Amino acid sequence: MPGQLYICATPIGNLEDITLRVLRILKEADLIAAEDTRNTVKLLNHFQIKTPMTSYHEHNKVEKARYLVEQMRQGTSVALVTDAGTPAISDPGEELVRQCYEAGVPVTSLPGPAACITALTLSGLSTRRFCFEAFLPADKKERKEILSELRRETRTIVIYEAPHRLSRTLEELFKCLGNRRVSICKELTKTFEQVFQTTLEEAVRRYGTEAPRGEQVLVIEGKSREAVREEQARAWESMSLEEHVEYYMSQGEDRKEAMRMAAKDRGISKRDVYQALLK
């Protein structure tokens, strides 16, 4: 095997979900870079894989990536794995991938399990368009900004959360997004897999008294376009007509289209907008 990086997706619960290709690469690679070697060794032992391992995690991702890239440039083949699921998805593996491309090291990804996709398909909510937020940021200012952005998100939203923070996060989501439908997924692919289809308001009540266990994946209904349009219509009440048109132009619309959109919001003709702006 030539020196390159293999992004290897591993099971998020059920070991039968590993692909034959991942098993082959894990056996044939010169080195396995694992987020937690103590966790990965259980997987390797189960499939009788003896490939050497090295740790690659959030706290050494930059320096260790430099070392691994140099090894690959010299011909070493490296299989990257995370604790569960697909590396580089809300994972330090993205840094290693970036450095590989900068150094001209080939990269390939072996598809497989990902908790966000598994939860989305189980949610019962729209899957055509979705956004993945992973874990909300811990920084209060950044967290507030992200939640504010999500308030108008029309796509289905996927968020990860730890059990000890679930109640607080649900309260914040309910306060910011309103009472949306939500599917709360846990123990994905395992024996006691559970999908709790509810609303944010009901979820806040439930987990205000019940202590959740295990990592949770929240799949939240996006805001309807009708609701967004109604909200925008109310916002224009505090704008002048000129500001209204300028707003749409700032979003990339040409002046003609911006005038048409402003006219539609206000329930008047485009000619009325044109005449008013001339004055």
Side-chain angles (χ1 to χ4, degrees), residues 161-164 166 184-188 190 192 194 206-207 210-217:
E161 193 50 279
H164 65 280
L166 180 63
I184 303 176
C185 309
K186 68 175 183 177
E187 299 294 307
L188 291 172
K190 299 178 183 178
F192 299 105
Q194 184 181 72
R206 173 172 177 170
Y207 292 107
E210 178 184 321
R213 294 182 180 180
E215 296 290 329
Q216 313 281 320
V217 184

Side-chain angles (χ1 to χ4, degrees), residues 11 34 48 59 66 104 107 111 124 140 142 157 171 191-192 203 217 234:
Q48 299 180 351
H59 303 294
R66 295 194 189 105
V107 178
K140 290 183 178 180
E142 186 181 2
I157 304 164
E171 288 177 2
T191 303
F192 299 105
V217 184
R234 290 193 298 270

Side-chain angles (χ1 to χ4, degrees), residues 218-256:
L218 310 180
V219 185
I220 307 164
E221 180 180 40
K223 192 167 190 173
S224 71
R225 285 196 174 89
E226 291 77 13
V228 171
R229 283 195 290 268
E230 288 176 6
E231 195 173 86
Q232 289 175 336
R234 290 193 298 270
W236 308 142
E237 294 174 3
S238 61
M239 289 185 181
S240 69
L241 184 56
E242 188 173 42
E243 289 171 337
H244 196 165
V245 173
E246 287 293 333
Y247 168 79
Y248 279 123
M249 291 180 65
S250 72
Q251 302 299 305
E253 305 293 347
D254 60 36
R255 187 169 180 79
K256 183 177 180 181

Side-chain angles (χ1 to χ4, degrees), residues 57-75:
H57 47 73
E58 183 64 30
H59 303 294
N60 71 355
K61 64 181 181 181
V62 176
E63 292 183 2
K64 193 60 172 283
R66 295 194 189 105
Y67 167 78
L68 291 172
V69 166
E70 185 57 35
Q71 294 299 303
M72 286 182 276
R73 291 181 66 182
Q74 295 177 23

Side-chain angles (χ1 to χ4, degrees), residues 10 28 39 47 66 121 123 132-133 153-154 195-196 205 216 219 246-247 251 256-257 261:
T10 55
E28 296 178 359
N39 187 54
F47 290 106
R66 295 194 189 105
T121 58
S123 69
F132 175 56
E133 280 296 331
E153 179 59 68
T154 58
V195 180
F196 177 39
R205 283 199 296 266
Q216 313 281 320
V219 185
E246 287 293 333
Y247 168 79
Q251 302 299 305
K256 183 177 180 181
E257 179 62 14
M261 294 172 75

Side-chain angles (χ1 to χ4, degrees), residues 192-208:
F192 299 105
E193 176 181 273
Q194 184 181 72
V195 180
F196 177 39
Q197 294 178 311
T198 183
T199 64
L200 286 173
E201 184 177 19
E202 291 175 355
V204 168
R205 283 199 296 266
R206 173 172 177 170
Y207 292 107

Side-chain angles (χ1 to χ4, degrees), residues 113-127:
C116 57
I117 298 300
T118 304
L120 180 66
T121 58
L122 281 172
S123 69
L125 298 174
S126 174
T127 61

